[in-house]
Amino acid sequence: MDHETIGSEDWDELILNLEATIPVYDRINRFATIGQVDKWRRMVRQRLPSEDAKLLEVGCGPGSFAEDVSGVDLVCLDPSALMLEAAKPRVNSKRQERGDSEVEFVKGKAEELPFDDNSFDGACSLFSFRDWYDKRAGLSEVLRVLKPGAKMVIVDPAKMNRIHGFLGWLWMRVWVGAYARIICGVKDHPWKWLTKTYVTFGTTRDYVRMMEDVGFENVTAKVVFPGMATIWEGKKPL
Ligand SMILES: C[S@@+](CC[C@H](N)C(=O)[O-])C[C@H]1O[C@@H](n2cnc3c(N)ncnc32)[C@H](O)[C@@H]1O
């Protein structure tokens, strides 16, 4: 595992661990982020088109972000059938209440997006980019399926430097780890993988460079909560 790739054995194990978090996912996330996660999700929504648009969420998980996206057509992609099963009723019942169109749920990976070129007006990935097994390939794929001028927005906990990375590791290991142990009732809880992927995840700057390398323009990154959330955004050139 390094800041660009995750080997196939590790990735398969990571997916199993992510699936094991489904029943407690939102509860632990809120605790781990001291309630800030909803604000960060809002910040992502504010950066994307809010009407007459077709958006893609890559790595939708159990639907924690998707359920509050309104006014646009949405496609949610995830490689885990269990995640999609958890997301579908939750997201579509909320959308139905609001009069929004049903979400299209698609099983797939960021690295091989099953969509035509230039098909989305915006794309996002929340707390999933860290788990992509080939981040460069995934970003190239997102660029391919975006329409010219459309934006990709990512949120994930990058580090600014090594000291910051060490403090983030401590936070996840001690604070989040202790809570997850209590909630899951087992010492070997699946949130241990959060620490693993955090440790190998790169710096804010690494992914600004990567987005620029694959062809995004006007790439920016904003640290919204040190160690826990950075928002990157970049546009497909016209
Ligand atoms: C921590 S959940 C994030 C859920 C949701 N986006 C949120 O806002 O909370 C990470 C998700 O990324 C998915 N994932 C992992 N590797 C992926 C890949 N290569 N391509 C797309 N999604 C991936 C996992 O299956 C998991 O559902």
Side-chain angles (χ1 to χ4, degrees):
M1 234 194 248
D2 60 31
H3 79 282
E4 293 216 9
T5 56
I6 299 179
S8 61
E9 259 178 49
D10 276 340
W11 190 75
D12 289 347
E13 201 180 330
L14 166 63
I15 296 298
L16 290 176
N17 276 269
L18 285 167
E19 287 172 341
T21 67
I22 293 174
V24 290
Y25 183 76
D26 292 304
R27 194 166 161 199
I28 295 195
N29 239 355
R30 287 217 174 84
F31 178 86
T33 62
I34 353 173
Q36 295 297 300
V37 67
D38 295 330
K39 184 171 135 199
W40 304 336
R41 293 190 196 289
R42 227 171 17 249
M43 291 172 82
V44 172
R45 278 199 298 279
Q46 284 162 356
R47 285 166 163 74
L48 289 165
S50 58
E51 52 190 32
D52 295 331
K54 183 176 177 189
L55 303 185
L56 170 67
E57 184 188 2
V58 184
C60 65
S64 317
F65 172 74
E67 69 175 353
D68 291 322
V69 175
S70 61
V72 291
D73 290 333
L74 181 63
V75 176
C76 283
L77 175 125
D78 203 282
S80 159
L82 285 181
M83 286 289 185
L84 294 172
E85 256 171 50
K88 199 171 178 177
R90 167 180 180 179
V91 173
N92 276 338
S93 66
K94 282 258 186 125
R95 286 182 65 90
Q96 211 172 19
E97 279 168 26
R98 291 191 301 254
D100 286 317
S101 59
E102 281 209 339
V103 166
E104 185 188 344
F105 288 94
V106 178
K107 189 168 182 295
K109 301 163 183 172
E111 295 81 355
E112 298 164 58
L113 290 176
F115 308 113
D116 291 339
D117 298 359
N118 308 321
S119 36
F120 292 96
D121 302 293
C124 59
S125 190
L126 296 90
F127 311 105
S128 167
F129 179 58
R130 205 177 64 243
D131 301 328
W132 298 2
Y133 58 84
D134 185 339
K135 294 168 181 54
R136 198 172 280 271
L139 287 176
S140 302
E141 275 291 90
V142 173
L143 188 71
R144 177 182 68 75
V145 303
L146 283 177
K147 292 180 185 169
K151 201 193 265 184
M152 167 64 165
V153 184
I154 297 174
V155 61
D156 233 312
K159 21 191 160 347
M160 289 183 283
N161 52 45
R162 273 168 199 266
I163 297 170
H164 183 195
F166 174 70
L167 295 175
W169 172 82
L170 262 187
W171 172 268
M172 288 185 193
R173 186 71 198 246
V174 179
W175 177 252
V176 185
Y179 186 71
R181 232 179 0 257
I182 294 165
I183 296 296
C184 299
V186 282
K187 202 165 165 235
D188 205 20
H189 57 80
W191 292 81
K192 280 192 172 166
W193 272 84
L194 175 72
T195 319
K196 279 199 192 181
T197 50
Y198 178 78
V199 168
T200 48
F201 198 52
T203 61
T204 299
R205 183 81 204 124
D206 285 334
Y207 301 117
V208 169
R209 246 184 256 127
M210 193 183 279
M211 286 182 82
E212 288 171 345
D213 285 351
V214 305
F216 283 94
E217 64 179 21
N218 301 332
V219 179
T220 58
K222 182 178 168 66
V223 178
V224 289
F225 198 113
M228 286 209 276
T230 296
I231 295 183
W232 293 264
E233 52 187 303
K235 276 190 178 171
K236 177 163 175 170
L238 285 170

